[in-house]
Amino acid sequence: MNDIKNKKLLIVDDEHEIRNMIDSFLRKEGFMRIYKASNCAEALEACRSVKPDIAILDVMLPDGDGFSLLSSLRQISNMPVLFLSARGEDEDRLLGLGLGADDYIAKPFLPRELILRLTAILRRVYSPPKQEQRPAFQLGDRTINLEGGIVGDGTTEYPLIAKELILLLKLYENRNRIVTSDALCQAAWGDDYYGYQNTLMVHIRRIREKIEANPSSPEYLLTIRGLGYKLMVQGV
């Protein structure tokens, strides 16, 4: 846990009071490497200079929005991202998660909820690796390297974000067998996974875009209607 609290955190919010409030209760929890930005430009500069390990992004910013900022951040970093927003509509939440965010909290929120969600993301992403090496395997012309978090087709490499990696590992561990949607949600979001089924579908679609030649007609990551998904891997 101490290693997690040594991670560098970036808070991006245009409201001075909210930045300071989040900073204050993060420090009370033992997080000390905290950086702050009030807009998209400052956030991008901070990402280039200090290379934070996780970002807390507000959706509404004066020179853009958190969604476009996340798209820009993904050009330079695969760090996990937690969205904060006064807008709690499902469409906004799914848009953020579909762009590669790890979680989304609507304002107002309890400080303890933010700490718990932030800590859960950090544990999932930065927990010490197990001794056994994660496998690499072939799907058609794509090589999926779960250890490096990369999908390659011989000419292009596609990085896997944290949630995609977790889901693919769960599917590979149960390859050629059905994995229920509940089991996948629990693997990615822990015991508090209820309500993430639509979010799971977003991540499955993004995985297919990286591992399938034709994501709209998948050969390897199949939907088993009413049950879940199956990863078809030959020769194992």
Side-chain angles (χ1 to χ4, degrees):
M1 185 64 180
N2 288 335
D3 288 342
I4 288 175
K5 291 189 175 179
N6 283 330
K7 297 298 181 185
K8 292 181 282 188
L9 283 65
L10 175 63
I11 303 166
V12 184
D13 198 297
D14 63 331
E15 296 186 48
H16 178 78
E17 295 80 4
I18 291 180
R19 291 198 306 274
N20 285 348
M21 177 191 69
I22 296 173
D23 180 285
S24 176
F25 57 71
L26 284 174
R27 290 184 187 278
K28 287 178 182 177
E29 291 292 326
F31 294 96
M32 293 299 166
R33 305 175 74 187
I34 301 171
Y35 303 85
K36 291 177 280 188
S38 62
N39 56 47
C40 296
E42 289 180 7
L44 287 168
E45 177 57 32
C47 285
R48 293 187 182 99
S49 59
V50 304
K51 295 180 173 56
D53 298 299
I54 189 168
I56 301 170
L57 303 185
D58 187 22
V59 167
M60 302 301 292
L61 294 168
D63 56 346
D65 61 49
F67 301 134
S68 60
L69 174 57
L70 177 56
S71 295
S72 298
L73 289 177
R74 281 289 171 256
Q75 304 300 313
I76 58 176
S77 173
N78 283 321
M79 68 175 171
V81 167
L82 172 65
F83 266 129
L84 301 178
S85 177
R87 311 186 313 190
E89 290 85 353
D90 284 343
E91 291 80 5
D92 282 344
R93 184 169 67 91
L94 291 175
L95 174 58
L97 294 168
L99 288 171
D102 291 78
D103 210 341
Y104 189 111
I105 303 179
K107 297 177 182 178
F109 54 87
L110 295 172
R112 190 63 188 159
E113 179 186 11
L114 176 61
I115 293 295
L116 289 173
R117 293 198 184 210
L118 181 74
T119 303
I121 294 170
L122 288 170
R123 282 176 174 159
R124 286 197 297 267
V125 177
Y126 296 112
S127 290
K130 296 180 180 179
Q131 292 301 315
E132 66 270 15
Q133 188 174 13
R134 290 174 175 173
F137 58 97
Q138 200 76 19
L139 295 177
D141 65 349
R142 309 289 168 97
T143 300
I144 292 82
N145 183 342
L146 296 180
E147 184 68 23
I150 295 289
V151 176
D153 62 6
T155 57
T156 307
E157 289 189 339
Y158 309 89
L160 296 163
I161 65 171
K163 284 291 191 301
E164 296 166 356
L165 192 55
I166 291 169
L167 293 170
L168 262 178
L169 182 59
K170 182 71 172 178
L171 287 160
Y172 182 80
E173 289 172 346
N174 298 275
R175 53 197 176 276
N176 304 323
R177 301 196 301 271
I178 297 171
V179 184
T180 66
S181 295
D182 282 351
L184 288 168
C185 286
Q186 186 170 33
W189 291 282
D191 291 334
D192 187 25
Y193 66 85
Y194 181 76
Y196 278 96
Q197 282 78 8
N198 286 339
T199 307
L200 173 64
M201 293 172 62
V202 174
H203 286 292
I204 291 292
R205 185 176 70 240
R206 288 174 59 86
I207 291 171
R208 282 176 173 152
E209 289 171 354
K210 296 175 181 179
I211 70 170
E212 299 277 2
N214 183 0
S216 300
S217 182
E219 296 180 60
Y220 305 107
L221 181 45
L222 307 180
T223 300
I224 311 301
R225 194 170 300 278
L227 293 174
Y229 300 90
K230 182 191 291 187
L231 184 67
M232 302 302 295
V233 182
Q234 302 298 319
V236 292

